Amino acid sequence: MIRDLCDGQLEGAEIGSTEIMFTPEKIKGGIHTADTKTAGSVCLLMQVSMPCVLFAASASELRLKGGTNAEMAPQIDYTTMVFKPIVEKFGFKFNCDIKMRGYYPKGGGEVIVRMSPVKQLNPINLTDRGSVTKIYGRAFVAGVLPFKVAKDMAAAAVRCIRKEIRDLYVNIQPVQEPKDQAFGNGNGIIIIAETSTGCLFAGSSLGKRGVNADKVGIEAAEMLLANLRHGGAVDEYLQDQLIIFMALACGVSRIKTGPVTLHTQTAIHFAEQLAKAKFSVKKSEDEDASKDTYVIECQGIGMTNPYL
């Protein structure tokens, strides 16, 4: 997909290959389609293409096909409800239209992403966590699964959160995905906590065959609670997704996180190697010592779009 986005050459991109050679040329906008043909994640396609099309010659429309709610990747709801509002702080907007939802193992989902290029990205500062002001989410079923499963996931998640956070109303909507907007069978839940300073945290989980609905709801709730305990301003799944934008931005970006994940360490390593951005990761001073909180700081390279 990236090869096509920028008229590049790509060698060795086949199954079993241990080495690829990629030579990019001019990034061009326009309409591009990428189809995993499985439940391969449309969100991962979006992750890899977004930094490129921001520096394209003209506006882009990406038609991404595969899994919208798949394991080992962000769910599309996370991408639209958490990633989107935060990443737009870098100074761009994108539109994400979910045409069809698709689940493991068949996929069949389709998402259309539209965005215009920018001249340059602004740095961000996400270090002030604030206090949690609301908790909301959606528990969904699709295909042949009974609506009761969605209600059970939501109820179990609410009960779990209530044990720790008593003073907030927790609004998790059970949803039956419309037949014409979901391909195959699936169920899952995403729960989001919003803070007074506009930070967003999430916990999510997908149903699997033989796993009862309560367990799925509790898993998502526990993930959210764990992300709220560390005192950072982003959750563990957002931290690594912001690294490339911090590297490309003009100026110093700072994000406060919980424990730095292996994904984030890897993203920093390659951003330093490839973009020559400079990162520092330091234990946060202003927390009590019991909290495992860090500040990731980056002097961005101030990438400018040569076509604008």
Side-chain angles (χ1 to χ4, degrees), residues 3 12 22 40 50 55 60 64 67 70 122 141 147 181 183 251 290 302:
R3 176 199 67 199
F22 174 50
M50 192 171 278
F55 294 94
S60 304
L64 310 177
N122 307 323
V141 289
F147 187 54
Q181 287 167 35
F183 182 83
S290 67

Side-chain angles (χ1 to χ4, degrees), residues 190-234:
I190 178 162
I191 317 162
I192 291 164
E194 204 173 297
T195 75
S196 52
T197 53
C199 296
L200 296 164
F201 299 82
S204 64
S205 182
L206 285 166
K208 292 186 217 36
R209 189 166 293 180
V211 176
N212 82 10
D214 286 26
K215 199 169 168 196
V216 181
I218 289 165
E219 185 176 61
E222 284 179 341
M223 185 191 290
L224 176 66
L225 292 168
N227 274 307
L228 290 174
R229 281 182 208 117
H230 59 56
V234 298

Side-chain angles (χ1 to χ4, degrees), residues 62-307:
L62 308 175
R63 297 178 175 176
L64 310 177
K65 299 176 180 182
T68 57
N69 300 74
E71 290 283 345
M72 311 293 286
Q75 294 193 44
I76 191 66
D77 309 274
Y78 182 93
T79 298
T80 57
M81 294 162 84
V82 178
F83 172 76
K84 183 180 189 291
I86 302 294
V87 85
E88 286 181 342
K89 293 180 191 288
F90 285 100
F92 66 92
K93 291 259 186 283
F94 71 96
N95 176 274
C96 182
D97 183 9
I98 306 167
K99 290 285 182 213
M100 180 70 76
R101 288 170 177 271
Y103 312 100
Y104 180 82
K106 290 198 177 108
E110 183 178 8
V111 171
I112 297 181
V113 179
R114 297 181 184 90
M115 60 196 299
S116 295
V118 291
K119 184 70 189 166
Q120 211 171 30
L121 294 174
N122 307 323
I124 61 165
N125 188 339
L126 291 177
T127 50
D128 181 9
R129 152 78 167 265
S131 53
V132 178
T133 52
K134 52 179 162 178
I135 298 178
Y136 52 91
R138 71 194 302 269
F140 69 86
V141 289
V144 299
L145 294 164
F147 187 54
K148 180 181 185 309
V149 170
K151 292 198 283 201
D152 289 351
M153 286 188 295
V158 171
R159 284 196 303 274
C160 183
I161 292 167
R162 277 275 151 68
K163 288 181 195 154
E164 208 157 312
I165 302 173
R166 292 189 183 81
D167 51 348
L168 278 181
Y169 174 62
V170 182
N171 179 16
I172 303 174
Q173 293 289 326
V175 180
Q176 172 79 57
E177 301 290 7
K179 288 269 185 275
D180 59 347
Q181 287 167 35
F183 182 83
N185 307 311
N187 68 298
I189 180 170
I190 178 162
I191 317 162
I192 291 164
E194 204 173 297
T195 75
S196 52
T197 53
C199 296
L200 296 164
F201 299 82
S204 64
S205 182
L206 285 166
K208 292 186 217 36
R209 189 166 293 180
V211 176
N212 82 10
D214 286 26
K215 199 169 168 196
V216 181
I218 289 165
E219 185 176 61
E222 284 179 341
M223 185 191 290
L224 176 66
L225 292 168
N227 274 307
L228 290 174
R229 281 182 208 117
H230 59 56
V234 298
D235 69 31
E236 62 181 315
Y237 297 108
L238 193 60
Q239 51 170 266
D240 66 299
Q241 295 186 62
L242 298 177
I243 298 301
I244 188 166
F245 300 99
M246 292 167 72
L248 295 173
C250 181
V252 177
S253 291
R254 282 185 197 86
I255 60 172
K256 193 186 219 181
T257 75
V260 178
T261 65
L262 209 48
H263 273 200
T264 299
Q265 292 171 40
T266 306
I268 288 172
H269 172 81
F270 285 103
E272 290 187 330
Q273 297 281 319
L274 293 166
K276 303 286 182 269
K278 292 278 174 282
F279 283 84
S280 73
V281 180
K282 295 193 174 76
K283 191 100 163 103
S284 175
E285 311 276 300
D286 50 357
E287 297 298 320
D288 59 56
S290 67
K291 286 204 167 157
D292 211 6
T293 317
Y294 299 83
V295 173
I296 302 173
E297 188 172 296
C298 174
Q299 176 66 56
I301 63 169
M303 173 90 176
T304 51
N305 188 329
Y307 311 115

